[in-house]
Amino acid sequence: KAAIGAWGVDLAGMDRAAAPGDDFFRAVSGTWVDTTQIPADRSDWNGFYVLSDKADANVRTIAERLGTAPQAAGSVEQLVADAYATYVDTARIESLGLAPFQADLDRFKGLTAIEEVGAAIGEPSLPSNSPIGIAPTVDARNPNRYTVIVTQAGLGLPVRDFYLNDAAAFEQVRQAYRAYVEKMLTLVSYPDAAKASASVVALERRIADAQWPLAKVRNKDLTYNPMTRAELAAYAPGFPWEAALKTAGLGAREQFVVREKDAIKALSALCAGTPVE
């Protein structure tokens, strides 16, 4: 049985007053947009988030059920049950403190050159943020193959508007975010966490300035710019491409698709002009 409507299409969410030829989005979703509230803990909301939340709830139910009885040694069921039990064992997590990732913290602390930063960014076992993201994905113009995209990244808040919009609500979010960054740095005993948190947020503001707005990012023609490895390095020379690609296992990769082209150039320059610390 369809969860929405009689056959899986939300006809009640349509705006019958909107002409599809004039505004197809409102014709299809206008009433839903007008009557749906964004949850307080989200920056945006749509049907895909509804599906994602339902999938998360289903996965949690499965994981909890697997943990109620012994599973065959070495089975997928045992691995899932053990992983979930470890994840929710907050008492054990608290008792270990920083020990499980102290080596990673020490590695970050010991970075002295931009090439070392690039190697840390590319390390698959060390997920970390970067002004420029490098990731394998399905080729937007050839779904039968994968490619490697180069895309704008590096923000802790959801999108660039959170840094650039002067409205009071966004300023409140920025103040709360700075306090959060300070708390995280305090927890890992970073010196002068208040000053450092201000630097972090200021750097992310510069990253946001360089990024494309969402409307431009959604333009499928503007965001497909094939480049060779040599062309990429020449176009945006400030980013430590070789170190990042080698550590990521992409050392032999010769072809890339650059998404936000001039933003990547600006972000590369930002990397080159920012102290490693």
Side-chain angles (χ1 to χ4, degrees):
K1 185 178 182 302
I4 298 175
W7 46 287
V9 175
D10 184 18
L11 298 179
M14 298 176 67
D15 180 357
R16 301 288 185 169
D22 296 336
D23 191 339
F24 188 72
F25 178 79
R26 278 213 62 86
V28 173
S29 305
T31 300
W32 187 90
V33 170
D34 292 342
T35 58
T36 301
Q37 292 293 318
I38 299 176
D41 63 338
R42 303 296 181 98
S43 62
D44 57 348
W45 191 247
N46 59 40
F48 291 105
Y49 290 121
V50 175
L51 291 173
S52 178
D53 279 4
K54 180 173 175 54
D56 286 345
N58 291 342
V59 170
R60 176 177 178 177
T61 298
I62 293 169
E64 289 178 339
R65 185 174 68 243
L66 291 175
T68 61
Q71 303 297 331
S75 65
V76 171
E77 290 81 2
Q78 184 207 17
L79 293 174
V80 170
D82 289 352
Y84 184 73
T86 302
Y87 180 74
V88 298
D89 187 358
T90 55
R92 173 70 170 162
I93 292 170
E94 292 293 340
S95 70
L96 291 173
L98 301 180
F101 57 98
Q102 187 61 54
D104 295 338
L105 292 173
D106 291 342
R107 177 175 179 181
F108 282 123
K109 185 178 179 181
L111 300 177
T112 60
I114 188 65
E115 290 75 21
E116 295 173 356
V117 175
I121 288 170
E123 177 60 58
S125 65
L126 186 64
S128 55
N129 216 343
S130 162
I132 295 175
I134 304 169
T137 187
V138 175
D139 191 318
R141 294 190 179 178
N142 185 349
N144 294 316
R145 70 179 185 185
Y146 281 85
T147 188
V148 175
I149 61 167
V150 175
T151 186
Q152 64 185 29
L155 301 181
L157 293 173
V159 294
R160 71 193 295 265
D161 290 351
F162 279 80
Y163 298 86
L164 307 180
N165 193 311
D166 292 330
F170 286 94
E171 179 58 30
Q172 291 175 359
V173 171
R174 287 191 289 270
Q175 293 298 327
Y177 180 55
R178 177 175 171 178
Y180 167 77
V181 174
E182 180 178 347
K183 181 177 181 180
M184 293 297 102
L185 293 173
T186 300
L187 289 174
V188 297
S189 302
Y190 197 91
D192 200 347
K195 180 180 178 181
S197 66
S199 296
V200 168
V201 177
L203 177 59
E204 291 188 18
R205 168 63 187 258
R206 294 176 64 195
I207 293 171
D209 273 325
Q211 288 191 357
W212 284 7
L214 286 179
K216 190 174 180 180
V217 171
R218 292 178 178 132
N219 188 313
K220 63 182 178 64
D221 295 321
L222 294 179
T223 53
Y224 195 92
N225 304 283
M227 284 192 184
T228 66
R229 188 189 196 91
E231 288 170 340
L232 179 60
Y235 178 74
F239 188 78
W241 298 108
E242 290 301 318
L245 292 172
K246 180 179 180 181
T247 311
L250 297 169
R253 181 76 189 185
E254 290 295 337
Q255 297 290 331
F256 302 87
V257 173
V258 177
R259 286 180 52 81
E260 306 85 4
K261 191 173 179 182
D262 54 345
I264 297 302
K265 188 179 186 70
L267 292 168
S268 176
L270 179 63
C271 288
T274 302
V276 169
E277 183 184 3

